[in-house]
Amino acid sequence: MGFLYPFMFGLTLFVLLFIVLYFFRKQYEEKIIPSNMLWTQLLNEREASRFFHKWQNHLLFWLQLFALIFLMIALTRPFFITERETGEELIFVVDPSATMSTRVDSVPIFERHREEMLAIVDRLYEQVVTIITAGVQPEIVIWKESDQKKLKETIENLAVTYEHENIENALRFAKAFSNQKTAIHLFSDGVKQEDVSKIINDRYVSVHNVDKEVINVSLQSFVVDREDDNMKGLVVVKNESNFEKEASFTVEGERGIVFQTSIAIQPDSTILIPIDSLPNEKFYRGVLKVEDDYVQDNFSTVILHSNRQPVYILGDISPFFVRGLESIGVDVYQIDAEETIPKGEGIVATDDVFHVTNEHSAFFFFERSTEGFIQNTGPIEQVNDPLLNYVDMGNVYISQSRSTSPFSELESIVSVDNRPLIQKGKVSGVPTIAFLFPFEQTDWPMHPNFPIFLYNSYEWLAQQSTPIAYFQPGEKKWLAVDQQSFEIFTLEGKRLYSINTEEEAFQAPYEPGLYQAVSDNKIYYFCVLLDDREKTVATEQSFILNDTLLDGTMEGGKTTNIELLSLMFAFIAFLLLIVEWEVYRKWLK
C-alpha cells in the first residue's frame, strides 16, 4: 500500500494529544455505598490500579480514538500498487476458427482464451488495446481502446465463426499497427513458434496455445453419387487419437435414417466405409457419433442436383485433361467459339486469359505456349488444400512454368522456386483454377493422383458455381437466381433471417450444417461446409517471442482507485462518530 499525502501522518500528534487530554480530564463515577468503610475501600482499590486500567473500559474513548485514526488515514489518500501488463500498447489477435470450439477439460478453447483476455484487461493501466480477429479476412474489432468496460463488452461479444483461420495475414496486420513497445497476444490452439518468427521477429509476441492432448475422430470425407440407377456412397473416417475408438455412422435423408453401421477405429488410423445402395433423396447428411473433444467435424452433407455441370473446351487444351475429365464421368464438349457456350451455364476450360469473365459460372485456365517460361530447378511444394486431398506433387516432374501469374487475386496451392504452378480462387467473382505450366512439359498425367486432382477440382468448381448449394461459414455472394427474396431456416424449422437478393448479397450462416432457403413456398436445401483444414486439431505449447524486449515497460504499475479508498476510510470514521454520539446520548439519559 502507498499514500499520496504521507505528511498527513503528522496528525498523529493530535491523536496523542487527544489521549493525553483524556487522562487529565476529571472523571466522576457514581457509587451507592452503605458506609464510609466501603468508600475508603473503593479509593484504595482505585489507587492500587495500574494507569491504563483506568480507561480500558471507556467505550466513548475508543470510538473517538478510532474515528480520528480512520479520518487521518483518509486524509493521507492511500492506494495499492498492482503489477501492470507488459507493453505500452497491446494487440489481441484472436483465432475464431472451428477448432477453437474443441473442449479441453469440458471447457471450449475459445472460452479459455476469453477468460485470459479479460484477466489481461483487468491488469491494464493507462494502456490501449486493439483486437483483431484472424478469420479468412482479418478484421479489426476495436481500435486502440483504453476504456476497460468497452474492452470487456467487446471480448464478451467475440464468438467462434467456424471459418479457417488466417493467422499469417492477421499477424502482418498486427505488425503494421505496432511499434517496438507494443505487446502482441495471439490466442489460438496450435500455432508453431517458427511460423510466427517468420512473420514477426522484432516484436514482443505472446502466443497462447493449448498444450493438452485432444481426442478427435473426424469424418474426413462423405461422398454420394449416382452409378447407373443406383445411389452409392463412400465414407472416410480418421482417428487422430492414441486410443481405439468405437463409433456409429448414420446417413439421414429427408425421410429419416437411410443407412446405419457401427465401426471400431484403431489409434492414428483411417478407415473407409463403402455404401453400396442408398434411396433417392434430396440430401444426405452423414453423422458420426463418437465420444471425442471436437464435434464440428463429425458430420457432413451432400446435396444432389438434377444434373451435373458440363465442361466446355474452348481453345487448344491438352487431351490428357479432356480424357481425365471423361474418366470421372464428366460431360465434355469441344466448342469453337465462346458465343456458342450457354451463358451462365457449365464450366469453361480455356487457354485465353481474356475468356475468364463473369459471363460463365466457373473456369479452368491453361497455358498455351512456353514463351517467357523459366526452367524449374527446386522441389515442388504444396499447401494443405481440399483440392490436394490424396494428391502428392512431390514426385511430379514439371520442367518449365510461368515467371508470374496473370491472376493476382488467386491463391497459390502448388509452387516451385517461389513461383505459382497451380492457383485457385475467384476472378471477378467467378471460381477459377489456373494451371500456369503446359501439360506437354510434365509427366503428371501419368501419375495415379492426376484423376483424383481433376475430381477434386471439378467438384470444387461445381459447388462454387451452383447458386444455392454449398457455402463456407459466413460466406457472402451475389446470387444469379430468379427469386428475389429468401427466408432462411434451420433443418429443424427455426427461422434465422430473410434476404432480398436484389438489394444485398446472400450471406450464409456461420455454423456448419444443413439449412433451408424458402421462396414462394418452395424449399431449396443448402449447406455450410466445414473447411477440410478444420478437420484436424493441432495443439502446441504456449510461448513468448522476444520476452526481454519490453523490460522496463511495467514501471509505475497500476494503482487502485484513490478516491474510492479515501472515501471508504472517511465513511468508516463517520459511522464511528454516529455510534459515539448514540452511546453518549444514552449515557446522558
Side-chain angles (χ1 to χ4, degrees):
M1 175 183 283
F3 299 93
L4 194 63
Y5 302 142
F7 58 86
M8 286 294 180
F9 280 114
L11 296 175
T12 306
L13 295 175
F14 291 96
V15 177
L16 296 175
L17 181 62
F18 166 76
I19 297 175
V20 172
L21 290 176
Y22 188 85
F23 288 113
F24 281 97
R25 58 185 286 203
K26 292 182 178 181
Q27 300 186 34
Y28 300 97
E29 188 173 354
E30 292 183 1
K31 291 288 183 178
I32 301 176
I33 57 176
S35 67
N36 288 338
M37 180 186 67
L38 294 179
W39 173 253
T40 304
Q41 182 181 354
L42 180 64
L43 288 177
N44 291 335
E45 290 178 358
R46 185 177 183 85
E47 292 296 331
S49 299
R50 294 179 179 271
F51 186 69
F52 65 90
H53 286 169
K54 298 178 181 179
W55 47 272
Q56 64 181 4
N57 293 321
H58 289 256
L59 182 58
L60 287 177
F61 168 78
W62 290 112
L63 290 173
Q64 293 168 358
L65 177 63
F66 281 108
L68 285 174
I69 292 174
F70 278 106
L71 186 60
M72 178 189 65
I73 295 175
L75 292 174
T76 61
R77 307 291 297 279
F79 60 87
F80 289 99
I81 299 178
T82 57
E83 182 180 324
R84 64 175 276 178
E85 191 63 33
T86 302
E88 292 185 357
E89 296 182 6
L90 288 85
I91 296 179
F92 293 169
V93 179
V94 185
D95 179 358
S97 62
T99 55
M100 297 293 285
S101 63
T102 305
R103 291 183 174 271
V104 177
D105 296 333
S106 301
V107 179
I109 297 174
F110 197 86
E111 295 303 321
R112 287 174 170 267
H113 288 333
R114 192 197 308 276
E115 294 301 320
E116 292 180 33
M117 286 185 278
L118 292 173
I120 292 175
V121 170
D122 283 333
R123 295 193 295 269
L124 296 179
Y125 174 63
E126 296 181 353
Q127 295 159 290
V128 295
V129 177
T130 298
I131 300 178
I132 301 173
T133 53
V136 175
Q137 297 293 334
E139 179 183 353
I140 299 175
V141 180
I142 194 168
W143 173 257
K144 291 189 176 181
E145 182 59 61
S146 60
D147 188 328
Q148 292 191 15
K149 183 179 180 181
K150 290 183 180 179
L151 286 171
K152 289 184 177 182
E153 288 179 355
T154 302
I155 293 171
E156 290 290 354
N157 290 330
L158 293 176
V160 175
T161 58
Y162 301 97
E163 55 190 325
H164 184 60
E165 76 277 2
N166 192 342
I167 300 294
E168 181 178 346
N169 282 355
L171 286 178
R172 294 188 189 281
F173 270 40
K175 183 178 181 180
F177 300 145
S178 64
N179 54 50
Q180 293 292 335
K181 295 183 179 181
T182 301
I184 299 173
H185 292 263
L186 171 59
F187 299 90
S188 188
D189 49 2
V191 176
K192 297 181 179 179
Q193 184 168 343
E194 55 268 26
D195 294 336
V196 177
S197 58
K198 290 178 183 178
I199 305 170
I200 302 179
N201 55 13
D202 58 349
R203 299 284 193 275
Y204 175 97
V205 183
S206 177
V207 178
H208 306 254
N209 278 324
V210 175
D211 55 3
K212 293 190 177 181
E213 183 179 356
V214 173
I215 298 176
N216 182 39
V217 181
S218 65
L219 179 57
Q220 292 282 308
S221 179
F222 173 50
V223 180
V224 177
D225 205 351
R226 185 182 300 276
E227 184 175 319
D228 298 328
D229 293 332
N230 189 27
M231 301 300 299
K232 293 188 175 183
L234 181 65
V235 183
V236 180
V237 180
K238 184 177 181 180
N239 181 7
E240 296 180 347
S241 70
N242 298 322
F243 309 95
E244 180 180 352
K245 301 295 291 184
E246 294 184 354
S248 65
F249 177 77
T250 60
V251 179
E252 302 172 356
E254 196 173 20
R255 292 169 290 184
I257 296 176
V258 295
F259 175 83
Q260 187 171 1
T261 186
S262 298
I263 55 176
I265 318 168
Q266 296 300 315
D268 195 22
S269 62
T270 301
I271 65 170
L272 302 178
I273 306 175
I275 303 176
D276 296 328
S277 179
L278 288 171
N280 289 322
E281 298 281 351
K282 292 183 179 179
F283 64 85
Y284 300 90
R285 185 171 183 264
V287 180
L288 181 68
K289 296 180 180 179
V290 62
E291 291 185 3
D292 63 354
D293 299 322
Y294 180 43
V295 300
Q296 290 300 328
D297 61 353
N298 292 351
F299 54 88
S300 182
T301 305
V302 175
I303 298 177
L304 292 184
H305 304 286
S306 58
N307 56 2
R308 294 174 63 84
Q309 294 267 23
V311 175
Y312 298 100
I313 305 299
L314 181 60
D316 187 15
I317 305 300
S318 170
F320 291 111
F321 174 76
V322 177
R323 299 292 181 268
L325 287 179
E326 291 176 341
S327 69
I328 61 175
V330 178
D331 296 329
V332 182
Y333 301 96
Q334 185 74 42
I335 302 298
D336 295 331
E338 184 180 7
E339 290 75 16
T340 60
I341 302 176
K343 197 168 184 179
E345 296 182 9
I347 300 171
V348 178
T350 180
D351 57 0
D352 191 342
V353 67
F354 295 104
H355 288 155
V356 183
T357 64
N358 57 7
E359 294 184 357
H360 304 289
S361 60
F363 282 93
F364 285 108
F365 173 77
F366 296 86
E367 284 293 345
R368 58 181 173 181
S369 69
T370 59
E371 183 178 351
F373 276 26
I374 297 177
Q375 194 74 22
N376 299 327
T377 58
I380 295 178
E381 300 177 350
Q382 66 184 70
V383 301
N384 184 15
D385 190 88
L387 268 62
L388 298 172
N389 283 348
Y390 310 106
V391 176
D392 183 8
M393 299 293 293
N395 298 324
V396 175
Y397 172 75
I398 301 175
S399 63
Q400 295 180 340
S401 63
R402 287 183 64 109
S403 58
T404 59
S405 171
F407 307 109
S408 60
E409 56 266 67
L410 296 184
E411 171 193 4
S412 177
I413 60 174
V414 179
S415 60
V416 62
D417 301 330
N418 293 322
R419 291 181 284 107
L421 291 175
I422 302 177
Q423 291 183 300
K424 64 170 275 193
K426 293 185 178 182
V427 178
S428 301
V430 179
T432 303
I433 296 176
F435 300 89
L436 304 181
F437 59 90
F439 271 56
E440 292 76 15
Q441 302 289 329
T442 178
D443 65 347
W444 192 18
M446 302 296 107
H447 289 251
N449 60 30
F450 179 68
I452 297 177
F453 179 83
L454 290 183
Y455 176 82
N456 293 340
S457 301
Y458 173 80
E459 288 295 323
W460 183 79
L461 289 176
Q463 290 178 8
Q464 295 293 317
S465 59
T466 304
I468 303 180
Y470 299 96
F471 294 87
Q472 292 296 312
E475 181 183 2
K476 290 183 179 181
K477 68 163 116 176
W478 290 92
L479 301 181
V481 294
D482 295 332
Q483 294 82 359
Q484 294 183 1
S485 62
F486 289 96
E487 297 285 333
I488 308 303
F489 294 85
T490 64
L491 188 62
E492 293 75 21
K494 179 182 177 181
R495 183 183 181 277
L496 301 179
Y497 52 87
S498 60
I499 292 177
N500 189 326
T501 57
E502 288 188 341
E503 299 177 355
E504 57 185 331
F506 183 94
Q507 181 173 7
Y510 281 100
E511 187 170 358
L514 186 62
Y515 296 89
Q516 303 174 82
V518 180
S519 180
D520 297 331
N521 296 323
K522 188 174 182 180
I523 298 176
Y524 301 87
Y525 290 104
F526 72 94
C527 66
V528 176
L529 295 175
L530 185 69
D531 193 296
D532 284 353
R533 293 169 290 184
E534 293 298 308
K535 295 182 179 180
T536 299
V537 181
T539 60
E540 291 286 340
Q541 292 282 343
S542 300
F543 58 89
I544 298 177
L545 287 181
N546 305 315
D547 55 341
T548 61
L549 185 63
L550 297 181
D551 286 351
T553 61
M554 297 171 62
E555 295 178 358
K558 177 186 175 182
T559 59
T560 53
N561 192 318
I562 299 174
E563 297 294 338
L564 181 60
L565 279 177
S566 298
L567 288 174
M568 182 182 69
F569 282 107
F571 182 70
I572 295 175
F574 177 70
L575 289 179
L576 290 173
L577 288 176
I578 292 177
V579 174
E580 188 268 345
W581 167 252
E582 185 64 20
V583 171
Y584 181 71
R585 186 176 64 84
K586 289 187 176 181
W587 178 76
L588 288 178
K589 290 182 178 181

